[in-house]
Amino acid sequence: MATSRRSAALAGALIAALVAFAGCSKSGSDTPSTGTATGDPIIIGLDQDSTGPGASYSNISGKTIRLAIQDINDKGGVLGRPLQLVVGNDESDPTKSPAVVQKLVGQGAKLVLMQTGGAASAQAKPTLTQLGVPAIAPTSVTQTLVDAPNNEFIYMLANSTGDWAEVYCGAFQKANIKKIGVLTDDSSTIAAVNKSLFDAMPCVQVAATEKGATAASDLSAQVARLKDANVDAVMVTSLGGAFEVLAQNALASQLAAKPRFSLASIGNQPESWKLANAGALNGVVFMGSINNQNPRTQELTKFLKGKNGADYEVTAYDAQAWDTVHIVKLAIEKAGGADDSKKLNEAIQSISGYPASFGQASFTLSYSATKHLGADGLCGLSLIEFGADNKPKGPWATYQPPC
């Protein structure tokens, strides 16, 4: 009983800390100004989960989306016109996302940024098709989001879970891992990620799966059952935040000798690193996209540290948000404006070889009428390992994806 109370208290503290962090950049709190641009504004919609289960990553991206727009406006805007944000929040709830998108378009949005959970973005696809308004999901990774039906107006940047599966399989084979246990949260977004990811991974047997509530206060029982399954390694699949911290704390305590893998979430949430027990993240390998040898990553890092402070940790969520806004800018320029949604959609499809601010230096993004996932090859991915200080220490020495 005492242990349960301590776990509940810890969970409460973690959730409070992460919610406080999430609140730092809630929608509308730092709306970009028109800068030096003087024309009529081009309205961009932002569906940002600023308070729901996706807030731990959406607020990081949301803040950088605003900084990117402000930087563009300060430099004269797009075709002399400033970009203007209108913002909604669906809380990563698929039942709310169509109405949020409808409202943003009703406010004049010519394009929508779906900075929310993948399941919520997917539910908005028919609405986008009906309205004929293009949308980009900056941080989504589920391939089915850009698959038919109703995919004519939806786009992604980052490598999908299909690419992740290829990289994980290469890693598991190299490390002689044949049987894994999965510890997962109960969010609809991660349910979709799990299906997409594990369906594409015949290289490994998922011998045990344990699920906990996104707002769980204790995961020790789930970890104990994974221990009994005698797996070769454990993978945590979650939105990150308090759930991931609790999961890694419990795994470090009960299964310290087992290799641990995770999705991109924990690697891109610096505030979560601080909340883990000392050394609890040591050895965790996650799917990363930030490569500091990429000169565009270096340039973005300099910009963001100048805005957010020298100790700011740049994440893939930052880079993907930044690139999304600049892809929007490029598409508007190619279309000669944003008032014709058909031309704007076709302009996105004409973008080819865009040099990304994430991934390796050679990594690019391209689109077409039949290619709505921007990533060109596996060069956008790296496997990154945490060190004893609960911070990423660099590429995992055992395996890296071919590029």
Side-chain angles (χ1 to χ4, degrees), residues 30 160 264:
D30 46 354
S160 72

Side-chain angles (χ1 to χ4, degrees), residues 129-175:
T129 299
Q130 180 184 6
L131 296 172
V133 173
I136 303 177
T139 58
S140 289
V141 296
T142 305
Q143 171 70 47
T144 53
L145 178 61
V146 293
D147 289 343
N150 294 308
N151 66 333
E152 298 89 346
F153 292 90
I154 187 78
Y155 302 88
M156 290 166 47
L157 277 74
N159 292 87
S160 72
T161 47
D163 292 337
W164 289 21
E166 185 175 344
V167 173
Y168 282 129
C169 276
F172 292 152
Q173 290 167 354
K174 184 72 173 178

Side-chain angles (χ1 to χ4, degrees), residues 179-203:
K179 186 169 66 169
I180 65 169
V182 176
L183 180 54
T184 184
D185 72 26
D186 65 349
S187 68
S188 58
T189 292
I190 291 301
V193 168
N194 286 343
K195 178 170 176 50
S196 178
L197 181 63
F198 295 124
D199 282 356
M201 287 174 56
C203 61

Side-chain angles (χ1 to χ4, degrees), residues 13 19 28 54 105 196 242 260 312:
V19 168
V105 174
S196 178
R260 284 179 284 158
Y312 186 76

Side-chain angles (χ1 to χ4, degrees), residues 157-158 323 327 351-356 358 363-367 374-376:
L157 277 74
D323 285 345
I327 285 170
I351 293 172
S352 179
Y354 174 89
F358 60 101
F363 182 59
T364 59
L365 304 169
S366 299
Y367 300 95
D376 294 327

